[in-house]
Amino acid sequence: KNITIPINGEDPLSDTNVQNVIKEQENALGSSGRIIVRKSGTEPIVRIMVECLEVELANKTANQISDSIKSLINKNSVSFYRISDCIC
């Protein structure tokens, strides 16, 4: 399973929660497969690759990692505005 996530110059892989999710998924997968998660060197994206014999397990593992990265990106992109900044 391969997943590509666009990032805006952020480094979600340095986040402790994302690192923990990746470790948890590596432990769950054990020796039955492998996980590669890395930032692209040429594009503003993170690539997730999960390989194992069970397709459903590969999908679940990749999606868990993807969800943690997307959650972090969404959390960091939330903007707060004062009421006085809004045009009503």
Side-chain angles (χ1 to χ4, degrees):
K1 172 81 175 183
N2 294 305
I3 298 177
T4 302
I5 303 172
I7 56 174
N8 296 319
E10 304 165 14
D11 185 8
L13 302 182
S14 65
D15 182 77
T16 304
N17 291 329
V18 171
Q19 292 172 1
N20 288 339
V21 169
I22 293 170
K23 279 286 186 209
E24 289 170 4
Q25 295 307 310
E26 287 173 336
N27 291 337
L29 200 55
S31 62
S32 67
R34 68 180 181 156
I35 298 172
I36 298 172
V37 183
R38 68 178 192 86
K39 284 176 56 177
S40 170
T42 58
E43 302 174 82
I45 59 174
V46 169
R47 299 180 192 276
I48 302 167
M49 184 193 75
V50 178
E51 294 179 337
C52 74
L53 296 175
E54 297 178 41
V55 174
E56 286 188 31
L57 181 57
N59 290 337
K60 179 184 172 195
T61 301
N63 289 334
Q64 288 284 338
I65 296 168
S66 173
D67 290 347
S68 71
I69 293 171
K70 288 177 183 177
S71 175
L72 175 67
I73 290 170
N74 289 337
K75 182 176 81 170
N76 289 344
S77 67
V78 173
S79 299
F80 296 96
Y81 298 96
R82 295 178 305 208
I83 293 176
S84 61
D85 292 340
C86 298
I87 299 174
C88 301

